[in-house]
């Protein structure tokens, strides 16, 4: 049996190589253009013969790399072969990451040379930013969203090393006593189905059910600590309607290894089951203003249309994507509060639910926002600043350095 499986694997590898060569050579003009581009980038001025040979190698590497990127069929075949031979850690085209198949069958990126990071400077930046907010009479709530790798179970396969949860534990321990924080990881562990049930198989983001679970935890803190009045309908998960879009989503990790490696995700859309009206969603830099019900304002249904799994992203059906600045308003809010949300991509699905708890939700993504976060706080005077970052983000300087500006 073992010999038979090895023979099948060898045959498939030869087939993969043949198909790969055919796909690479399918567009000779593009192949030649990519070779020239890589060659010219690597070729120094007044090159010697060894310089030209090295540049030619770089050109060939660039041509093949670009050809592979254009051929999703090759990615699918490659991932299927990796699955057949039982490979749990797949080298990604990016030099920085591997795609790892966790013991629960779900995929995640893990840094190729993962090392313990020191989030000390990021914690100091957050402490200083929160102190600035307090000087204006504005409190800050830091919410730690769970990453896909659970801190309470060892889901990593042998040989996979990752420190996201360890880094975030240290980060939380370094926050000043005056900085309120909410660690969502225990809530996900204790929720029905456990931590893994609230994450996609082929993508690192939480599902809409995970975003709703996060909202309920945050809403509880808003009521208990900050005096928010939230709609009781919004706090009960039974009051939401759910629509399943089967096999529609190949996530960020799935796109790197193809659907044969770990399958394709369903997406369950979660929307209020009660009548909603009086919502708006503004995206200033796009000059977009959407008004009406929760669905009218926040759901981009075109993202759910059938299409090529490698080019569609149904996860961003909520809000449509990542923006430097967007603003949600809820005319029916019971809280009378204005909130500033500093976010990353997990909030695509979370932000619409958070809008149920406040009159206005200003949403800033510091990865793209070109202004000053401190100036924005001073100008808009929110009642509360909420920062929602995942456990894997706590050592990411790009998300925290702008807090100092």
């Amino acid at each position: 049996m073992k010999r038979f499986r090895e023979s099948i694997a060898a045959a498939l590898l030869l087939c993969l190589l043949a198909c790969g060569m055919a796909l690479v050579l399918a567009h000779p003009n593009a192949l030649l253009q990519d070779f020239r581009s890589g060659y010219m980038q690597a070729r120094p001025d007044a090159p010697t013969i060894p310089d030209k040979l090295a540049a030619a190698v770089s050109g060939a590497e660039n041509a093949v790399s670009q050809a592979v990127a254009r051929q999703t069929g090759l990615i699918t075949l490659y991932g299927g072969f990796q699955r057949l031979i039982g490979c749990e850690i797949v080298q990604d085209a990016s030099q920085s990451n591997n795609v790892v198949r966790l013991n629960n069958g779900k995929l995640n990126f893990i840094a190729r040379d993962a090392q313990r990071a020191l989030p000390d400077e990021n914690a100091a930046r957050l402490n200083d930013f929160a102190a600035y907010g307090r000087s204006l009479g504005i409190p800050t709530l830091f919410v730690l969203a769970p990453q896909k790798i659970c801190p309470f179970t060892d889901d990593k396969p042998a040989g996979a090393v990752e420190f996201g949860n360890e880094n975030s534990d240290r980060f939380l321990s370094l926050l000043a006593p005056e900085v309120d924080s909410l660690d969502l990881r225990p809530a996900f562990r204790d929720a029905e189905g456990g931590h893994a049930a609230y994450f996609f198989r082929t993508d690192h983001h939480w599902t809409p059910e995970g975003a709703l679970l996060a909202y309920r935890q945050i809403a509880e803190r808003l009521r208990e600590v900050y005096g928010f009045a939230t709609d009781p309908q919004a706090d009960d998960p039974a009051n939401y309607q759910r629509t399943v879009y089967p096999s529609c989503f190949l996530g960020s990790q799935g796109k790197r290894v193809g659907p044969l490696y770990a399958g394709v995700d369903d997406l369950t859309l979660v929307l209020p089951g009660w009548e909603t009206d009086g919502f708006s969603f503004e995206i200033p830099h796009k000059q977009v203003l959407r008004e009406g019900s929760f669905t009218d304002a926040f759901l981009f249904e075109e993202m759910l249309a059938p299409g090529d799994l490698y080019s569609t992203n149904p996860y961003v059906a909520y809000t449509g994507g990542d923006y430097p600045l967007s603003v949600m308003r809820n005319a029916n809010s019971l809280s009378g509060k204005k909130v500033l949300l500093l976010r990353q991509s997990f909030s695509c699905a979370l932000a619409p639910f958070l809008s149920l708890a406040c009159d206005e939700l200003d949403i800033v993504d510091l990865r793209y926002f070109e202004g000053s976060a401190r100036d924005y706080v001073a100008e808009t005077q929110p009642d509360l600043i909420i920062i929602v970052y995942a456990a894997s983000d706590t050592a990411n300087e790009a998300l925290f350095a702008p807090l100092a500006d």
Side-chain angles (χ1 to χ4, degrees):
M1 184 64 184
K2 180 180 178 182
R3 181 173 295 178
F4 175 75
R5 180 170 177 171
E6 290 174 347
S7 298
I8 293 295
L12 285 175
L13 177 58
L14 291 174
C15 180
L16 174 65
L17 292 173
C19 291
M21 183 61 67
L23 290 170
V24 166
L25 297 175
H27 302 282
N29 291 335
L31 194 68
L32 181 59
Q33 183 177 351
D34 291 332
F35 171 80
R36 287 173 176 167
S37 175
Y39 176 82
M40 294 307 297
Q41 289 180 7
R43 181 179 179 270
D45 295 332
T48 63
I49 291 178
D51 289 335
K52 292 180 179 179
L53 290 174
V57 171
S58 296
E61 290 176 346
N62 184 65
V64 172
S65 176
Q66 294 300 320
V68 170
R70 288 191 294 267
Q71 300 296 338
T72 57
L74 184 57
I75 297 173
T76 299
L77 288 172
Y78 175 71
F81 178 74
Q82 296 295 322
R83 186 72 185 95
L84 178 68
I85 64 175
C87 184
E88 306 292 346
I89 302 176
V90 180
Q91 184 169 320
D92 186 51
S94 164
Q95 294 299 312
S96 58
N97 290 319
N98 290 322
V99 176
V100 174
R101 186 173 184 270
L102 303 175
N103 295 335
N104 57 25
K106 301 195 173 189
L107 305 182
N108 204 64
F109 283 135
I110 288 183
R112 190 166 297 174
D113 297 314
Q115 298 179 357
R116 287 181 178 84
L118 289 176
D120 303 46
E121 184 63 27
N122 286 343
R125 290 173 175 136
L126 177 55
N127 287 336
D128 190 59
F129 179 76
Y132 173 76
R134 287 196 304 276
S135 73
L136 301 175
I138 304 168
T140 297
L141 168 63
F142 177 79
V143 178
L144 184 75
Q147 65 175 25
K148 193 171 185 178
I149 297 175
C150 179
F152 306 106
T153 59
D154 188 6
D155 292 328
K156 299 187 297 295
V161 179
E162 197 273 341
F163 299 103
N165 283 302
E166 182 178 319
N167 292 337
S168 60
D169 289 340
R170 177 170 175 81
F171 177 88
L172 292 176
S173 73
L174 293 170
L175 295 184
E178 300 82 11
V179 179
D180 190 15
S181 64
L182 175 60
D183 185 352
L184 295 177
R185 293 175 297 174
F188 276 68
R189 175 197 60 195
D190 298 336
E192 182 179 358
H195 178 102
Y198 297 92
F199 288 86
F200 292 107
R201 174 180 289 269
T202 66
D203 194 76
H204 57 287
H205 291 108
W206 52 27
T207 63
E209 291 285 6
L212 178 59
L213 173 59
Y215 162 72
R216 291 166 53 212
Q217 301 300 312
I218 296 171
E220 182 178 357
R221 179 65 61 89
L222 296 181
R223 290 191 298 270
E224 293 180 352
V225 176
Y226 301 100
F228 279 54
T230 60
D231 186 345
Q233 294 181 100
D235 299 330
D236 186 349
N239 290 331
Y240 292 83
Q241 292 181 341
R242 292 161 174 83
T243 304
V244 178
Y245 291 78
S247 302
C248 71
F249 183 31
L250 189 64
S252 296
Q253 289 78 54
K255 287 179 171 67
R256 312 303 284 189
V257 293
L260 294 180
Y261 186 75
V264 179
D265 279 291
D266 299 340
L267 185 139
T268 300
L269 197 66
V270 181
L271 296 170
W274 64 95
E275 185 175 349
T276 60
D277 200 7
F279 286 91
S280 71
F281 183 40
E282 183 179 5
I283 310 170
H285 80 285
K286 288 181 171 288
Q287 298 182 326
V288 169
L289 177 62
R290 299 162 60 102
E291 298 177 302
S293 68
F294 184 99
T295 300
D296 294 333
F298 307 133
L299 181 64
F300 288 66
E301 294 185 90
E302 63 271 21
M303 300 297 180
L304 298 168
D308 175 23
L309 289 170
Y310 282 94
S311 60
T312 57
N313 185 10
Y315 170 72
V316 297
Y318 294 92
T319 71
D322 300 325
Y323 314 110
L325 170 67
S326 55
V327 180
M328 296 178 173
R329 295 182 177 88
N330 174 7
N332 302 308
S333 167
L334 302 175
S335 70
K337 302 286 188 179
K338 178 178 180 179
V339 174
L340 170 61
L341 171 65
L342 301 183
R343 53 147 280 172
Q344 43 81 292
S345 56
F346 272 52
S347 286
C348 284
L350 174 64
F353 295 119
L354 281 178
S355 75
L356 296 167
C358 54
D359 288 23
E360 180 177 325
L361 182 69
D362 292 12
I363 307 163
V364 170
D365 191 326
L366 293 176
R367 296 173 299 174
Y368 312 112
F369 187 67
E370 295 183 354
S372 163
R374 297 190 180 210
D375 288 348
Y376 193 85
V377 170
E379 292 167 6
T380 60
Q381 291 291 309
D383 296 292
L384 175 66
I385 302 167
I386 301 178
I387 303 174
V388 181
Y389 290 161
S392 54
D393 294 326
T394 52
N396 183 353
E397 184 178 0
L399 288 170
F400 289 90
L403 297 177
D405 296 334

